């Protein structure tokens, strides 16, 4: 069976600067794949290429055995690949309720109310702030809203870019409990995360990037159990 998502020999970057060099990775359905590596390794660029927010210069991105290279971010999301970007990705001028409604519409009209009720049960703090403008929420609340909007669109693949950035440890723990629940439900997830403890706890497969190339692929236990490996690729 082919992987649900596959990046095959992709080269891409910004302007004339090449960031990814013939990069390949495979994401089986129902797994959590962690993209790890130092700052500037190309992790976020990889997610942007997959989601259609950055063009592929050469190579190919395939989803459900179909090429999605060259399609717009909107088209990729409509097919079931949703990016939760670093920096929240919400509509700050709209209230919480409207943000959730927009996310729910992306998943279709059927069962929309039940889906909204489900995310409010997962993040009860949002239920208390339905009429509050999203841009005035705390950082943790904004990230809860960004995740909720992604869940409501009912993606088949969820791309998550540093969802813990700038948040208190207690909020990070809560966010990753929600991600763990998604994993148990069979969601396919590609995760970029600065907190290695959480990333290694959740992941089935780890790819380590350095300077836009894959330097290591294997199980989380191989990184946990090898100090030399972790030091070489992740700085300790």
């Amino acid at each position: 069976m082919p992987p649900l998502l596959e990046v095959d020999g992709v080269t891409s970057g910004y302007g004339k600067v090449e960031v990814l060099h013939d990069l390949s990775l495979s994401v089986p359905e129902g797994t959590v794949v962690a993209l790890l590596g130092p700052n500037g390794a190309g992790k976020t660029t990889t997610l942007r290429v997959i989601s259609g927010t950055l063009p592929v210069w050469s190579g190919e991105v395939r989803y459900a055995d179909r090429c999605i290279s060259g399609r717009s971010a909107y088209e990729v999301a409509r097919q079931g690949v949703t990016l939760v970007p670093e920096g929240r990705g919400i509509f700050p001028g709209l209230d919480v309720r409207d943000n959730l409604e927009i996310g729910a519409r992306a998943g279709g009209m059927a069962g929309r109310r039940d889906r909204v009720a489900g995310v409010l049960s997962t993040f009860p703090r949002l239920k208390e702030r339905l009429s509050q403008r999203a841009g005035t929420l705390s950082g943790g609340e904004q990230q809860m809203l960004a995740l909720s909007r992604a869940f409501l669109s009912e993606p088949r693949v969820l791309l998550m870019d540093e969802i813990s950035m700038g948040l208190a440890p207690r909020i990070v723990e809560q966010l990753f409990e929600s991600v763990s629940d998604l994993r148990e439900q069979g969601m396919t997830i590609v995760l970029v995360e600065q907190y290695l403890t959480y990333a290694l706890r959740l992941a089935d497969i780890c790819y380590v990037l350095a300077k836009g190339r894959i330097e290591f692929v294997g199980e989380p236990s191989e990184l946990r159990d090898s100090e030399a490996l972790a030091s070489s690729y992740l700085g300790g």
Side-chain angles (χ1 to χ4, degrees), residues 180-198:
S180 181
D181 289 343
L182 286 176
R183 181 184 188 276
E184 293 302 314
Q185 295 165 23
M187 175 71 74
T188 304
I189 299 172
V190 182
L191 176 71
V192 171
E193 180 50 49
Q194 60 178 338
Y195 281 91
L196 290 181
T197 300
Y198 291 110

Side-chain angles (χ1 to χ4, degrees), residues 4-8 10 12 20 23-27 33 35 42-56 60-63 67-73 75-77 80-83 157-160 189-192:
L4 179 58
L5 179 68
E6 190 170 17
V7 177
D8 185 9
V10 163
S12 184
L20 303 181
L23 186 139
S24 296
L25 59 88
S26 178
V27 182
V33 171
L35 304 184
K43 306 183 297 295
T44 292
T45 302
T46 301
L47 295 189
R48 289 176 177 169
V49 164
I50 294 171
S51 67
T53 58
L54 195 66
V56 173
E60 189 172 81
V61 179
R62 290 188 292 274
Y63 164 67
C67 177
I68 58 172
S69 304
R71 299 195 179 184
S72 70
E75 290 176 307
V76 172
V81 181
T82 297
L83 172 65
V157 177
L158 193 56
L159 310 174
M160 306 177 69
I189 299 172
V190 182
L191 176 71
V192 171

Side-chain angles (χ1 to χ4, degrees), residues 125 139-141 143-144 167-176:
R125 190 174 303 187
E141 291 163 349
Q143 193 60 281
M144 291 176 192
L167 301 182
R170 178 176 57 84
I171 300 299
V172 173
E173 183 72 34
Q174 184 178 355
L175 289 174
F176 275 97

